[in-house]
Amino acid sequence: MRSGSTQHEMRPSASYCSPLTSACDRAAASLIPLRHAVAAMPGRLRTAALPCVVLFSFLVPASAAPVGGTSCPAAYGAPVRVSGVNDFGDLLLADGRTLRLAALVVASGEPSARAEFRAMLIREAAGREIEIASASPAPDRYGRLVGLARLPGHDDAGAAGLQRRALGEGVAVALPEPGYLGCMAALLEAEGPARVARRGLWRNLPIDARDKDALRAQAGHFTILEGRVAGVGNGRAVDYLNFGRVWRQDATLRMTHDSRAALEDTGVAVGDLAGRVVMARGVVFEAGGPAIDIRWAEQVELRPRVTDEQAGNW
């Protein structure tokens, strides 16, 4: 376990690009034709290849600088009809554009999970008009518009209606991403009923942070873990939340000093998290043990304090 400045930092430093990120960057130029190639594949091959391409769609950064800020887009445009839903879960609009629903991800590599997400979108949106609020008018590297979507006259709370419906059914989970971080509080609230009922993806989420094999099986995928922090390590450029005593094997959350400061700005004292139960979301990669990089405070939730007796095996 890391602690203090005398530790030997065997895990990657802040300047290190995880193997997954490096691979994504190298592959970025080929992803557009890859999406087209996958779309043209026969059924079984397309089903097997979809999870990889969908994951890269979220991970590979756009050529333009990401839109930051903590506000949530609220300027919805004129209604536009949804003509269909493609195999990636994108909405095909009647005006020729393609919309990726912002701040959502199917946190599973199982083809059935993506099929359930797509079926929900077909049921709720296909053939109907939606209104879109986007953090940026610029398309992503695949030419897609990215934004929140609502169904005019059908949403009680108004904003991000389609996102909230997907989260409520458990067919997707909230994805912190630039331009939509200010939406996370509302999206996490919408996620709540599916969490409690263990509906949809929540039948297998969160993954126990002590279950190294289950986490390793998610390498390269976005997932959600939960566990009691065994210790907090402080490195020269990276801080660590360790979920076990053998950090070369156990799960870890890594955060730069900037992301730690952002988390502490929310009132979470990172140095005091040892013994606390946290839930974290992000892409899993191998760094001695399974690890998730924390870029934004919205990736981490501090769970209520419980006694050892209440915590059971935690």
Side-chain angles (χ1 to χ4, degrees), residues 108-174:
S108 171
E110 294 296 326
S112 60
R114 181 146 299 277
E116 289 179 10
F117 177 59
R118 184 171 181 269
M120 174 266 168
L121 293 177
I122 292 173
R123 184 184 73 242
E124 296 290 340
R128 301 172 72 175
E129 288 190 329
I130 61 171
E131 295 172 343
I132 301 167
S134 181
S136 171
D140 69 5
R141 66 170 62 249
Y142 309 109
R144 300 173 301 180
L145 175 66
V146 179
L148 307 175
R150 67 183 184 187
L151 299 164
H154 292 276
D155 294 318
D156 296 336
L162 271 183
Q163 274 87 349
R164 290 188 292 103
R165 288 171 186 236
L167 294 170
E169 291 190 20
V171 296
V173 299

Side-chain angles (χ1 to χ4, degrees), residues 263-275:
L263 185 58
E264 292 188 332
D265 283 345
T266 69
V268 176
V270 173
D272 297 334
L273 286 181

Side-chain angles (χ1 to χ4, degrees), residues 84-115:
V85 181
N86 67 18
D87 288 341
F88 301 97
D90 302 326
L91 302 185
L92 306 177
L93 307 180
D95 61 9
R97 294 178 296 169
T98 298
L99 173 70
R100 174 174 75 81
L101 292 173
L104 286 186
V105 63
V106 178
S108 171
E110 294 296 326
S112 60
R114 181 146 299 277

Side-chain angles (χ1 to χ4, degrees), residues 7 14 45 164 168 183 187:
Q7 67 184 11
L45 286 175
R164 290 188 292 103
C183 310
L187 296 178

